[in-house]
């Protein structure tokens, strides 16, 4: 009887692996500003601001056995100033990235084992750079900033139910 129960559990698990619900999302955003060394700018105020924003969101719901969610976001913003800048007021040289990654996997099986796996990957790069060749004469305030704002939600839920044998959830 114990061998039959183990065989039934193994057969149910193998059968369950065939019933896979999965989703993936990939999002990429890039922004670049480059001011060359031979550029001459005279201004009251000056702003060079690159911004990139992206969202990768996925939430599969497996009605049986296995649910897999994968969300990947790549965000890149670069502002490089290498020219000559003269202002009577303020100058801003900035870059910023804002990315949202949302991976949720949910499954349930009232009879047998069920598994959920959620993976999120967020890669961001933000650079604000004044080169050695730049010549700045700023009459007011100079602001050089690079910012990164990450929003990440990764979750996995697995409910085996009243008659279910095993529920496994993994979020990375």
């Amino acid at each position: 009887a114990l061998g039959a129960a183990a065989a039934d559990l193994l057969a149910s698990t193998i059968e369950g692996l065939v019933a896979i619900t999965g989703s993936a999302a990939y999002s990429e955003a890039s922004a670049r500003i480059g001011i060359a060394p031979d550029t001459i700018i005279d201004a009251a105020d000056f702003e060079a601001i690159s911004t990139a924003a992206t969202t990768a969101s996925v939430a599969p719901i497996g009605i049986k056995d296995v649910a897999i969610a994968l969300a990947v976001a790549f965000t890149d913003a670069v502002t490089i100033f290498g020219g000559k800048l003269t202002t009577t007021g303020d100058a801003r040289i900035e870059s910023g990235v804002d990315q949202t990654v949302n991976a949720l996997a949910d499954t349930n099986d009232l009879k047998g084992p069920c598994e959920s796996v959620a993976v999120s990957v967020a890669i961001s790069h933000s650079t604000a750079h004044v080169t050695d060749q730049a010549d700045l004469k700023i009459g007011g305030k100079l602001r050089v900033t690079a910012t990164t704002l990450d929003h990440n939600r990764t979750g996995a839920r697995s409910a085996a139910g009243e008659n279910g044998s095993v529920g496994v959830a993994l979020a990375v």
Side-chain angles (χ1 to χ4, degrees):
L2 184 59
D8 286 344
L9 177 60
L10 180 61
S12 174
T13 301
I14 291 170
E15 178 184 323
L17 291 176
V18 176
I20 295 175
T21 301
S23 296
Y26 176 82
S27 183
E28 182 175 342
S30 180
R32 293 188 174 271
I33 297 175
I35 313 283
D38 59 349
T39 303
I40 299 171
I41 300 172
D42 290 311
D45 292 309
F46 175 80
E47 293 182 347
I49 303 170
S50 64
T51 58
T54 187
T55 298
S57 183
V58 63
I61 299 174
I63 57 173
K64 184 177 169 147
D65 303 327
V66 179
I68 299 171
L70 171 64
V72 179
F74 176 76
T75 313
D76 181 48
V78 177
T79 303
I80 298 175
F81 191 94
K84 180 178 181 181
L85 173 62
T86 303
T87 69
T88 55
D90 299 337
R92 294 172 56 191
I93 299 167
E94 301 180 4
S95 69
V97 297
D98 184 348
Q99 63 185 3
T100 301
V101 181
N102 183 28
L104 299 174
D106 187 4
T107 188
N108 62 62
D109 189 345
L110 298 178
K111 297 180 182 177
C114 56
E115 300 82 21
S116 291
V117 176
V119 177
S120 64
V121 178
I123 300 170
S124 63
H125 176 247
S126 180
T127 300
H129 179 63
V130 176
T131 68
D132 292 340
Q133 295 84 18
D135 180 11
L136 304 178
K137 291 181 179 67
I138 309 302
K141 297 177 186 175
L142 172 62
R143 181 175 171 172
V144 180
T145 58
T147 59
T148 299
L149 185 58
D150 290 324
H151 313 276
N152 188 339
R153 181 172 75 157
T154 307
R157 186 183 79 85
S158 185
E162 290 180 20
N163 297 326
S165 56
V166 177
V168 177
L170 174 65
V172 179

